Amino acid sequence: MTAVARPLPARRPSMTGGARQVFEYKAMVYRRVWRGSVFSTFLSPVLFLAAMGIGLGSFVDGGNAIASLGGVPYAVFLAPGLLAAQGMQTAASESTWTIMGGFVWDRTFHGMYATPVSVAGIVFGQLAWVTARLTMVATAFFVVMLAFGFVGSPFGVFGIVASVLTGLAFAAPITAFAAGQKNDSVFSMIFRFFITPLFLFSGTFFPIEQLPLIIRPIAWLTPTFHGVALARGLSLGTLDPLGAVVHLGVLGLYIVIGAACALITFRRSLSR
Amino acid sequence: MTTAQPIAAPASPEFAPDRPGVPEAARESLIRARGLTKKFAEFVAVDAIDFDVAPGESFGFLGPNGAGKTSTMRMIGCVSPITGGVLSVLGMNPAHDAALIKGRIGVVPQQDTLDMELTVRENLIIYGRYFDLSRREAGRRADDLLEFVQLTDRAKSTVESLSGGMKRRLTIARSLVNEPDLLLLDEPTTGLDPQARHLLWDRLYRLKQQGVTLVLTTHYMDEAEQLCDRLVVMDKAHIVAEGSPRELIDQYSTKEVLELRFPVGVLETLGTELDGLAERIERLPDRVLLYADDGEAAAAAAHARGLRPETVLVRRSSLEDVFLRLTGRSLIE
Ligand SMILES: Nc1ncnc2c1ncn2[C@@H]1O[C@H](COP(=O)(O)OP(=O)(O)OP(=O)(O)O)[C@@H](O)[C@H]1O
Ligand SMILES: [Mg+2]
């Protein structure tokens, strides 16, 4: 034999299992598209708030709706709800095709898993990145809200946190689901049958008290309802502590269970 | 085993063979498998195979589609849990020390896992980061590796725009970013043109000279003959033979092979005319192979019997012949 084994590394693998590097990878990819993304990040709240808040709002406010909206103009009622619901939309689009692609298209997750980066590192790096994206999008949204004068109270700024948590409550379980998919047609179904109905019926555009009694409990189970209620309660200054605890608890539960499922599905797809 | 000096300076600056902390087992054999088994549900993809890979050698798995080569490589690479048997890599157990093992190996998977959205250089840098290299060090190594695989002028291209051969070269460069002790190459040159293959072989040969242990799978005999000191022939989840290319040919084939091609239809009519002309005769759909130590003599004997093939070719035995002998099938159908 002509050669020898070289020494084993002195350094143990990093504590975070490489989550930081996975985050860095996502940021590296994002850097290539950020210019276009920044534009749409601001454009979308401007369009929504202008059309729904000002356009639809002046129509609604002319009638006798203000009472059921808690005595505020429709735009001020709507804006924090949209802020939270936007988190759901962002999370869903960041956690479907890109996740599946990392397993079956360019297989970058398999590439990571061949290195010291662990399954947990990949999952938490990915979720950390989605958190960063959600923060960017929600902050932009809040800035536009502020510019339009649609923020009801100084606590409204915490609507950014509500939006991020709402987003994560979707990102974690959708990421877990997407990791097991071999075909992307299911994702457009997610948008059609989950995201869009939740956007419309979870209290974003009108109080869920307007819904028939039998479907109201369904709304209570969705993260969107709790995220919207949290953001709105903060913005309008109507949030009671018990409500806040319930809303945060439900969102937290979705995040924790979703992340746990993602650890399982990622492991199943990577380690066969 | 006593350790001799490597031919060239090893890639790692911390090279110190007798350093305490290197498990004794890893100095003896870098990979050790006993009864190694992989099942997918009930299906047995790797059936209780035994092999050892010594430090510094280059070791090959030769076998047809579905033989279990990739399944074996994935177990060695710690991305596929073993179903049965014993496996140690670099003296460690993949079930417990996956991250440590992965930190010291380089992997060229059968299917590329390059990031299509990033540039060539960015792909190398981010991969270096996965091994916890500083950004600066990753950048330095990326530039060296681009030089090594002759992709420097494509550093800023996106991976999407590279040819198949260039992507493969980039994957090999990427697998070296952590200066691995052990390189796992799963069909490194499948689908490449001869020029690209020769370039890759040359790069792999240099790595071998630097003391890197290579483990590769292939279904090209010439690749196995070029690169492997020792190889195992795999078929249907089993190892059916083991040795150096020369040993395998000596053991399972004759020195020479006489290939006879007959006009369409004639082959089927041949009965006993060929008997006794060679030690062993293989009838393939399009030709007959006669295994004899003296091919010319066998050709003359065939001529004397009145056989008039369309073409007559005498060549040296290759691993292809070994494979045919062992499995009754060609490597590439
Ligand atoms: N994830 C899996 N699930 C089920 N069966 C699998 C899986 N991976 C591989 N197999 C089966 O195991 C067997 C061995 O596959 P493997 O990929 O190891 O073969 P191989 O020797 O690498 O073949 P090739 O030359 O085509 O790459 C095949 O029959 C394959 O279908
Ligand atoms: Mg294979």
Side-chain angles (χ1 to χ4, degrees):
Chain A
M1 219 38 60
T2 52
V4 284
R6 270 173 282 140
L8 298 168
R11 188 167 14 176
R12 287 259 146 197
S14 71
M15 290 285 292
T16 57
R20 209 178 76 205
Q21 283 83 350
V22 174
F23 181 92
E24 208 175 299
Y25 158 72
K26 301 293 292 188
M28 209 174 199
V29 173
Y30 182 70
R31 217 173 48 195
R32 306 190 69 80
V33 298
W34 76 275
R35 257 174 271 257
S37 142
V38 162
F39 183 69
S40 64
T41 301
F42 280 98
L43 186 68
S44 139
V46 168
L47 291 179
F48 255 103
L49 290 174
M52 299 290 170
I54 301 173
L56 185 62
S58 62
F59 189 67
V60 172
D61 294 339
N64 49 12
I66 288 204
S68 63
L69 298 178
V72 295
Y74 182 64
V76 176
F77 167 86
L78 173 73
L82 276 179
L83 170 63
Q86 170 99 46
M88 167 181 76
Q89 304 266 20
T90 306
S93 55
E94 294 271 342
S95 313
T96 41
W97 286 276
T98 50
I99 298 294
M100 193 189 121
F103 288 104
V104 301
W105 291 330
D106 54 18
R107 302 167 50 81
T108 44
F109 290 138
H110 292 282
M112 293 172 190
Y113 191 54
T115 75
V117 175
S118 67
V119 170
I122 297 174
V123 169
F124 291 117
Q126 168 68 30
L127 290 178
W129 170 252
V130 172
T131 307
R133 280 290 296 147
L134 287 166
T135 308
M136 291 182 223
V137 172
T139 305
F141 198 102
F142 186 77
V143 167
V144 175
M145 266 170 75
L146 211 54
F148 275 110
F150 293 166
V151 182
S153 88
F155 289 109
V157 69
F158 294 111
I160 294 174
V161 178
S163 177
V164 171
L165 291 176
T166 310
L168 282 175
F170 281 91
I174 294 177
T175 295
F177 173 79
Q181 298 310 306
K182 297 276 168 280
N183 190 311
D184 68 333
S185 59
V186 65
F187 298 139
S188 50
M189 310 243 279
I190 290 187
F191 278 90
R192 209 169 302 150
F193 295 114
F194 287 95
I195 305 300
T196 305
L198 287 177
F199 187 58
L200 296 173
F201 296 105
S202 299
T204 313
F205 293 96
F206 53 85
I208 66 158
E209 285 71 33
Q210 306 289 324
L211 290 171
L213 201 59
I214 32 165
I215 59 170
R216 248 179 261 169
I218 301 178
W220 292 333
L221 294 177
T222 68
T224 330
F225 166 75
H226 293 280
V228 166
L230 194 59
R232 182 169 293 139
L234 287 162
S235 184
L236 303 185
T238 55
L239 189 68
D240 63 288
L242 181 66
V245 168
V246 171
H247 299 323
L248 287 171
V250 172
L251 295 177
L253 210 57
Y254 272 95
I255 295 169
V256 170
I257 294 174
C261 291
L263 288 173
I264 295 168
T265 57
F266 271 58
R267 179 169 303 284
R268 201 178 287 158
S269 295
L270 290 171
S271 173
R272 276 182 297 125
Chain B
M1 190 192 75
T2 52
T3 52
Q5 283 305 303
I7 297 164
S12 167
E14 60 208 342
F15 176 73
D18 298 324
R19 198 179 91 155
V22 179
E24 196 56 41
R27 279 182 246 178
E28 298 272 329
S29 70
L30 233 43
I31 308 175
R32 185 183 137 87
R34 291 293 176 272
L36 181 61
T37 300
K38 181 74 196 182
K39 290 187 192 173
F40 295 104
E42 290 307 296
F43 180 80
V44 184
V46 177
D47 196 357
I49 62 173
D50 300 339
F51 63 89
D52 284 282
V53 178
E57 81 172 328
S58 75
F59 183 85
F61 289 93
L62 183 67
N65 292 139
K69 305 183 295 294
T70 297
S71 305
T72 306
M73 293 292 260
R74 285 175 46 85
M75 290 190 280
I76 300 169
C78 309
V79 296
S80 172
I82 72 173
T83 317
V86 180
L87 176 65
S88 105
V89 181
L90 300 166
M92 292 178 277
N93 180 351
H96 300 128
D97 297 313
L100 277 175
I101 296 172
K102 285 166 166 181
R104 303 302 293 171
I105 64 178
V107 179
V108 174
Q110 185 167 359
Q111 276 176 284
D112 283 328
T113 60
L114 297 167
D115 193 289
M116 298 294 161
E117 289 169 291
L118 297 180
T119 66
V120 166
R121 190 165 182 276
E122 284 172 333
N123 261 278
L124 292 174
I125 290 176
I126 195 64
Y127 221 67
R129 294 287 297 143
Y130 295 154
F131 289 95
D132 232 357
L133 302 180
S134 69
R135 233 155 295 194
R136 194 194 164 102
E137 177 64 9
R140 194 186 64 71
R141 290 193 193 180
D143 294 332
D144 288 351
L145 288 168
L146 287 174
E147 202 68 48
F148 182 65
V149 296
Q150 299 181 9
L151 283 175
T152 304
D153 54 334
R154 301 305 294 267
K156 291 197 166 71
S157 312
T158 58
V159 171
E160 217 160 16
S161 68
L162 299 186
S163 73
M166 290 174 178
K167 280 186 192 141
R168 219 52 190 150
R169 259 141 68 193
L170 177 57
T171 296
I172 292 183
R174 198 182 67 165
S175 74
L176 297 170
V177 79
N178 60 328
E179 296 180 343
D181 295 316
L182 169 64
L183 195 56
L184 305 177
L185 304 129
D186 198 352
E187 299 194 19
T189 68
T190 297
L192 303 189
D193 68 25
Q195 200 188 342
R197 294 177 70 199
H198 280 281
L199 177 68
L200 276 179
W201 288 350
D202 173 65
R203 299 297 118 159
L204 294 176
Y205 189 73
R206 288 185 199 201
L207 289 170
K208 179 172 150 47
Q209 286 194 316
Q210 289 171 13
V212 178
T213 306
L214 306 180
V215 175
L216 62 126
T217 78
T218 182
H219 33 216
Y220 296 120
M221 295 68 56
D222 51 349
E223 185 157 285
E225 274 166 56
Q226 284 269 339
L227 292 177
C228 299
D229 300 324
R230 207 157 57 81
L231 52 94
V232 291
V233 178
M234 264 191 107
D235 187 37
K236 296 178 183 148
H238 293 275
I239 288 176
V240 291
E242 180 190 338
S244 69
R246 196 69 258 155
E247 285 165 4
L248 286 170
I249 292 167
D250 289 347
Q251 189 176 350
Y252 295 100
S253 191
T254 50
K255 209 182 257 158
E256 294 186 334
V257 188
L258 170 64
E259 291 199 14
L260 302 179
R261 254 174 228 274
F262 289 93
V264 179
V266 175
L267 193 54
E268 292 73 18
T269 66
L270 291 177
T272 56
E273 292 92 328
L274 297 168
D275 290 358
L277 285 178
E279 274 181 39
R280 196 166 62 83
I281 297 176
E282 287 281 353
R283 283 164 182 262
L284 299 183
D286 58 335
R287 65 208 143 121
V288 187
L289 304 182
L290 290 92
Y291 291 94
D293 283 328
D294 186 345
E296 292 296 345
H303 191 83
R305 287 199 188 173
L307 290 170
R308 295 292 176 268
E310 239 174 12
T311 60
V312 177
L313 170 72
V314 175
R315 59 168 176 81
R316 290 158 60 90
S317 273
S318 71
L319 287 172
E320 173 81 58
D321 301 299
V322 172
F323 192 79
L324 195 62
R325 166 75 188 279
L326 288 167
T327 68
R329 284 177 297 124
S330 302
L331 262 172
I332 302 173
E333 278 98 22

